[in-house]
Amino acid sequence: VHIHFRPTDFTQVNHRVNAVLVARAIRLLAPLPHETVIDWFCGLGNFTLPLATRAKQVLGIEGSETLVQRARDNAAINQLTGKTRFEATNLFEVTPASLRAWPQAQAWLVDPPREGAMALFKSLAALRQDANTPWQGPERIVYVSCNPATLARDAGLLMHQAGYRLAA
């Protein structure tokens, strides 16, 4: 896929490293043709668009309306508008109620900024611990991190509170 961006947009600047990163994330997530995937903190669609070439549907969620529009433009350029949807919301204020409002997906790709994804994972844990909620959450999560401290914190939430197992 081709990702168009402007000089002020956040993107992975090393094309070769980015290609390896995207390929590894997709291999680990292993989306199937009948599955729905959510790409949290999707930005320009760096992971969303490659995932859409494999999954049935991919929802990209991002905090910046400007980046969401660029992601939509990139989906159109790559002829993936029928397999993608993009929404803007503040991902640092996710609650169990707001998380429940999003579609359920078999797989999540999470690529947050340095602050991590604590609100998202706390909400996921709360929903999975609530016996009165028929909400399951994703079967698989791939977390791409640029900050080891927030990765450790968020992985701890996923394992100890949300009941996930670290596999790779």
Side-chain angles (χ1 to χ4, degrees), residues 29 106-110 121 124 138-143 158 164:
L29 196 60
Q106 290 78 29
W108 284 6
L109 190 130
V110 183
F121 292 143
L124 171 62
E139 298 164 11
R140 300 174 313 283
I141 298 172
V142 167
Y143 187 134
L158 285 171
Y164 284 91

Side-chain angles (χ1 to χ4, degrees), residues 56-83:
K56 177 181 180 182
Q57 184 74 32
V58 183
L59 171 59
I61 304 175
E62 168 60 43
S64 165
E65 185 64 53
T66 300
L67 290 179
V68 164
Q69 187 54 54
R70 294 231 213 307
R72 288 179 182 133
D73 294 344
N74 282 323
I77 289 165
N78 288 280
Q79 300 178 345
L80 292 168
T81 54
K83 296 186 75 176

Side-chain angles (χ1 to χ4, degrees), residues 35-38 59 99-108 127 133-138:
E35 292 183 321
T36 298
V37 177
I38 298 179
L59 171 59
L99 185 55
R100 191 180 300 118
W102 292 106
Q104 292 220 2
Q106 290 78 29
W108 284 6
L127 288 174
T133 303
W135 195 90
Q136 294 298 313

